[in-house]
Amino acid sequence: AALIVRKEALTRPPVAEEITPTRQEAPVAEASSSSATTHYCTVDLGITLPGCELHEVSTSQLATWVARVVETEGPIHEDIVGRRIALAVGVTRKGSRIQSAMSAAITYVLRGGEIKRRGKFLHYLGGSLQVRDRSRLDSAERGVEHICPEEIELAIQETLKVTHGVEAQEVETLVARQFGISRAGKDVRTVLSSQVKRLRRSCRIIERQGFLEWVDSPDPV
């Protein structure tokens, strides 16, 4: 039977996206079960196109590749999933047809139940969450916008636990370093600050004498 894909899943801007190949590859390995900071590991797909263009590959085959990326690199931004597959087959320009094909493949793989979408991020349900240092990735993939909220929260938690409290103005800098971001610019601080504020509202973070501390079991309000 023909696969029916929602119309909105196939809608993408017509402007092609230029993909810059990674100049310095991250080490290839399976995700660790440890929550300690580790270098971000990319999947080695080792794939070739089956005698056609990337956007002409069957949705089921693309979905298989999507699943392999997410199983190793999840939680991962959906744009990075498409970039990873495109670069693996030597495609450096991701136009609207490729974007539509990737969107359909993601919709397809979500039906299997092992991968879930939260916002723009894909999570593998059998995987573990850990803070990952992205300093070895290409600059196009190191942006804080490509880090899921759950990983940011874990980084904040680990930072406050290890230091036993941090001055409020230093939190963003220390957390950014865990992701391999040596200089926390305005965009980075904005994202991290919003997460800190959310955790303070939920009482997971409290302030004592100018220092922020993590609370494992906040008192019920």
Side-chain angles (χ1 to χ4, degrees):
L3 175 67
I4 300 176
V5 179
R6 295 193 305 270
K7 181 178 179 181
E8 61 268 27
L10 298 176
T11 304
R12 281 291 186 269
V15 179
E17 174 189 350
E18 192 73 31
I19 304 176
T20 304
T22 302
R23 290 182 289 276
Q24 185 178 15
E25 293 294 336
V28 176
E30 292 298 322
S32 167
S33 60
S34 170
S35 62
T37 304
T38 185
H39 279 290
Y40 188 108
C41 298
T42 59
V43 65
D44 182 8
L45 288 172
I47 57 177
T48 56
L49 291 175
C52 62
E53 298 295 324
L54 180 55
H55 67 273
E56 296 173 333
V57 175
S58 69
T59 301
S60 61
Q61 179 60 73
L62 281 176
T64 298
W65 295 344
V66 167
R68 287 182 59 192
V69 174
V70 179
E71 286 173 11
T72 298
E73 300 188 39
I76 180 172
H77 196 285
E78 59 186 6
D79 289 347
I80 302 299
V81 174
R83 171 186 169 86
R84 193 72 72 240
I85 294 171
L87 289 176
V89 296
V91 174
T92 59
R93 189 171 180 82
K94 197 171 63 171
S96 60
R97 291 184 296 182
I98 291 178
Q99 293 178 43
S100 295
M102 291 296 177
S103 179
I106 290 173
T107 299
Y108 186 107
V109 80
L110 289 174
R111 295 173 180 171
E114 293 186 351
I115 292 173
K116 296 295 183 183
R117 185 204 298 270
R118 296 172 189 164
K120 294 185 177 181
F121 295 89
L122 300 178
H123 296 246
Y124 177 56
L125 297 186
S128 59
L129 184 66
Q130 60 184 161
V131 180
R132 295 170 291 179
D133 180 340
R134 291 160 166 78
S135 59
R136 297 182 183 180
L137 294 179
D138 185 79
S139 59
E141 301 178 8
R142 292 200 299 264
V144 71
E145 69 275 11
H146 293 140
I147 306 174
C148 74
E150 293 85 353
E151 189 173 346
I152 293 175
E153 177 176 333
L154 182 58
I156 294 171
Q157 175 184 340
E158 291 181 350
T159 297
L160 297 181
K161 282 188 172 182
V162 169
T163 58
H164 303 289
V166 177
E167 291 186 44
Q169 64 269 24
E170 294 297 323
V171 173
E172 290 89 353
T173 298
L174 295 178
V175 171
R177 287 176 184 169
Q178 289 207 61
F179 296 123
I181 302 173
S182 58
R183 184 177 180 181
K186 182 179 179 181
D187 57 337
V188 173
R189 290 186 179 277
T190 297
V191 172
L192 299 183
S193 176
S194 68
Q195 288 293 321
V196 170
K197 290 177 181 178
R198 179 183 64 81
L199 292 168
R200 293 184 70 170
R201 287 195 300 269
S202 63
C203 299
R204 300 311 301 267
I205 294 177
I206 61 173
E207 183 173 352
R208 287 198 180 106
Q209 298 179 339
F211 287 82
L212 300 183
E213 299 177 5
W214 181 263
V215 179
D216 284 317
S217 301
D219 294 331
V221 178

Coordinates of all heavy atoms in Angstrom, one line a residue, residues 2 20 24 32 39 45 54 83-84 92 103 108 126 159 175-176 178 203 220:
A2 N 0.4 2.3 -0.7 CA 1.2 3.5 -0.7 C 1.3 4.2 0.6 O 0.3 4.2 1.3 CB 0.7 4.4 -1.8
T20 N 28.2 22.6 4.3 CA 29.7 22.6 4.3 C 30.1 21.3 5.0 O 29.8 21.1 6.1 CB 30.2 23.8 5.1 OG1 29.7 25.0 4.5 CG2 31.7 23.8 5.0
Q24 N 36.7 18.8 10.5 CA 37.4 18.0 11.5 C 36.3 17.0 12.1 O 35.4 17.4 12.8 CB 37.9 18.9 12.6 CG 38.7 18.1 13.7 CD 39.2 19.1 14.8 OE1 38.8 20.2 14.8 NE2 40.1 18.6 15.6
S32 N 27.6 6.6 24.9 CA 27.9 6.0 26.2 C 26.7 6.2 27.2 O 25.9 7.0 27.0 CB 29.1 6.8 26.8 OG 29.3 6.4 28.2
H39 N 33.0 13.7 24.4 CA 33.0 14.3 23.1 C 31.8 13.7 22.3 O 31.5 12.5 22.3 CB 34.3 14.0 22.3 CG 35.4 15.0 22.7 ND1 35.4 16.3 22.4 CD2 36.5 14.8 23.5 CE1 36.5 16.9 22.9 NE2 37.2 16.0 23.5
L45 N 27.7 6.2 8.7 CA 26.6 5.6 7.9 C 27.2 4.6 6.9 O 26.6 3.6 6.6 CB 25.7 6.6 7.3 CG 24.8 7.4 8.2 CD1 24.1 8.5 7.4 CD2 23.8 6.5 8.9
L54 N 19.3 11.8 -4.2 CA 19.0 11.6 -2.8 C 17.5 11.7 -2.6 O 16.9 10.9 -1.9 CB 19.8 12.6 -1.9 CG 19.5 12.5 -0.4 CD1 19.7 11.1 0.1 CD2 20.4 13.5 0.3
R83 N 21.4 16.8 7.4 CA 22.8 17.1 7.0 C 23.7 15.9 7.0 O 24.5 15.7 6.1 CB 23.3 18.2 7.9 CG 24.8 18.6 7.8 CD 25.2 19.5 8.9 NE 26.6 19.7 8.9 CZ 27.3 20.5 8.2 NH1 26.7 21.3 7.3 NH2 28.6 20.6 8.3
R84 N 23.5 15.1 8.1 CA 24.4 13.9 8.2 C 24.2 12.9 7.1 O 25.2 12.4 6.5 CB 24.1 13.2 9.6 CG 25.1 12.2 10.0 CD 26.4 12.8 10.5 NE 26.3 13.4 11.8 CZ 26.5 14.7 12.0 NH1 26.9 15.5 11.0 NH2 26.4 15.3 13.2
T92 N 26.2 18.2 -1.1 CA 26.5 19.4 -0.3 C 25.5 20.5 -0.5 O 25.7 21.6 0.1 CB 27.9 19.9 -0.8 OG1 27.9 20.2 -2.2 CG2 29.0 18.9 -0.5
S103 N 11.8 15.1 5.5 CA 10.7 15.3 6.4 C 9.7 14.1 6.3 O 9.2 13.7 7.4 CB 9.9 16.6 6.0 OG 8.8 16.8 6.8
Y108 N 7.8 9.0 8.7 CA 7.7 7.6 8.6 C 8.3 6.9 9.8 O 7.7 6.0 10.4 CB 8.4 7.1 7.3 CG 8.4 5.7 6.9 CD1 7.6 5.3 5.9 CD2 9.1 4.7 7.6 CE1 7.5 3.9 5.5 CE2 9.0 3.4 7.3 CZ 8.2 3.0 6.2 OH 8.1 1.7 5.8
G126 N 15.6 4.2 23.4 CA 16.5 3.3 24.1 C 17.8 3.9 24.4 O 18.7 3.2 25.0
T159 N 26.8 21.0 36.4 CA 27.6 22.2 36.8 C 27.4 22.6 38.2 O 28.3 22.8 39.0 CB 27.4 23.4 35.8 OG1 27.7 23.0 34.5 CG2 28.2 24.6 36.3
V175 N 28.5 26.4 31.9 CA 27.7 25.4 31.2 C 28.1 25.4 29.7 O 28.2 24.3 29.1 CB 26.2 25.8 31.3 CG1 25.3 24.9 30.4 CG2 25.7 25.6 32.8
A176 N 28.3 26.5 29.1 CA 28.7 26.6 27.8 C 30.0 25.8 27.5 O 30.2 25.1 26.5 CB 28.9 28.0 27.3
Q178 N 30.9 23.1 28.9 CA 30.7 21.7 28.9 C 30.3 21.3 27.5 O 30.5 20.1 27.1 CB 29.5 21.3 29.8 CG 29.9 21.4 31.3 CD 29.0 20.5 32.1 OE1 29.0 19.3 31.9 NE2 28.2 21.0 33.0
C203 N 11.8 25.6 41.0 CA 12.5 25.3 42.3 C 13.5 24.2 42.2 O 13.9 23.6 43.2 CB 11.5 25.0 43.4 SG 10.3 26.3 43.8
P220 N 7.4 20.7 47.7 CA 6.1 21.0 46.9 C 5.6 22.3 47.3 O 5.7 22.8 48.4 CB 5.2 19.9 47.4 CG 5.7 19.4 48.8 CD 7.2 19.6 48.7

